[in-house]
Amino acid sequence: MSQVRRARVSDHRALVECVGTWWGDSRTPEQARELSLLLPSLFLRFFAGTSLVREHADGSIAAFLVGFHSADHDDEAYIHFVGVDPALRGRGLARELYTAFFRSAAEAGRREVRAITSLGNTGSIAFHRAMGFALEPGDHELDGVPVHLDYDGPGRHRVCFHRPITRTE
């Protein structure tokens, strides 16, 4: 497998295809297509330099992280979407991408990273907690987890995280 590299605008189609394929085992084709809508091309057109890709030896995508530095909050960065090839899950690729993102965000003067997930994504909640993220208080609690109701629109509740970072990340 190759090293982690910055994403490129030309990666967009491959990332969308990865989402449809990698999440196809846990969702209907329509749900996987809907999930891929969370990755419009604007993320790579404007944030490729802060997004990361890990490739297989053949150049295909093994894992990716789409993230950016906030334009409105000079000390914050945000991780928007992360994916790992299901055949490679549990091997530390997501951890590697997060660590690289933390490091580059800290080098750019950012002091905190934020992320969100859906309430039903218990694996994501556990992963973020293991990576040192704290759950933000929400306006409601479901199944013992603080939730922001209607965060992404009616019925689209989200769990929000934040994690401090330092220049030594």
Side-chain angles (χ1 to χ4, degrees), residues 6-80:
R6 285 185 171 179
R8 299 184 287 256
V9 174
S10 60
D11 291 324
H12 181 255
R13 178 183 293 271
L15 296 186
V16 169
E17 289 171 1
C18 287
V19 171
T21 303
W22 295 352
W23 279 271
D25 60 346
S26 63
R27 290 174 171 75
T28 67
E30 181 57 36
Q31 290 170 327
R33 271 191 301 279
E34 185 177 320
L35 190 60
S36 72
L37 295 175
L38 295 175
L39 280 177
S41 65
L42 72 90
F43 280 102
L44 295 183
R45 292 187 185 281
F46 297 101
F47 305 111
T50 54
S51 297
L52 304 165
V53 169
R54 179 77 132 95
E55 295 177 331
H56 290 285
D58 68 1
S60 63
I61 308 271
F64 67 89
L65 180 152
V66 175
F68 56 89
H69 299 167
S70 173
D72 292 338
H73 305 279
D74 292 342
D75 61 340
E76 294 181 2
Y78 179 78
I79 295 174
H80 175 67

Side-chain angles (χ1 to χ4, degrees), residues 29-141:
E30 181 57 36
Q31 290 170 327
R33 271 191 301 279
E34 185 177 320
L35 190 60
S36 72
L37 295 175
L38 295 175
L39 280 177
S41 65
L42 72 90
F43 280 102
L44 295 183
R45 292 187 185 281
F46 297 101
F47 305 111
T50 54
S51 297
L52 304 165
V53 169
R54 179 77 132 95
E55 295 177 331
H56 290 285
D58 68 1
S60 63
I61 308 271
F64 67 89
L65 180 152
V66 175
F68 56 89
H69 299 167
S70 173
D72 292 338
H73 305 279
D74 292 342
D75 61 340
E76 294 181 2
Y78 179 78
I79 295 174
H80 175 67
F81 204 113
V82 179
V84 176
D85 182 334
L88 300 173
R89 290 183 185 155
R91 297 186 188 182
L93 270 67
R95 179 176 292 279
E96 175 185 39
L97 292 173
Y98 272 66
T99 301
F101 184 81
F102 295 158
R103 187 172 37 254
S104 68
E107 288 170 357
R110 306 302 164 142
R111 294 188 307 250
E112 187 165 51
V113 176
R114 296 186 174 277
I116 65 168
T117 195
S118 60
L119 177 64
N121 197 339
T122 56
S124 177
I125 294 169
F127 174 79
H128 282 90
R129 292 177 107 171
M131 289 296 299
F133 283 85
L135 294 159
E136 292 184 5
D139 52 15
H140 196 72
E141 190 171 297

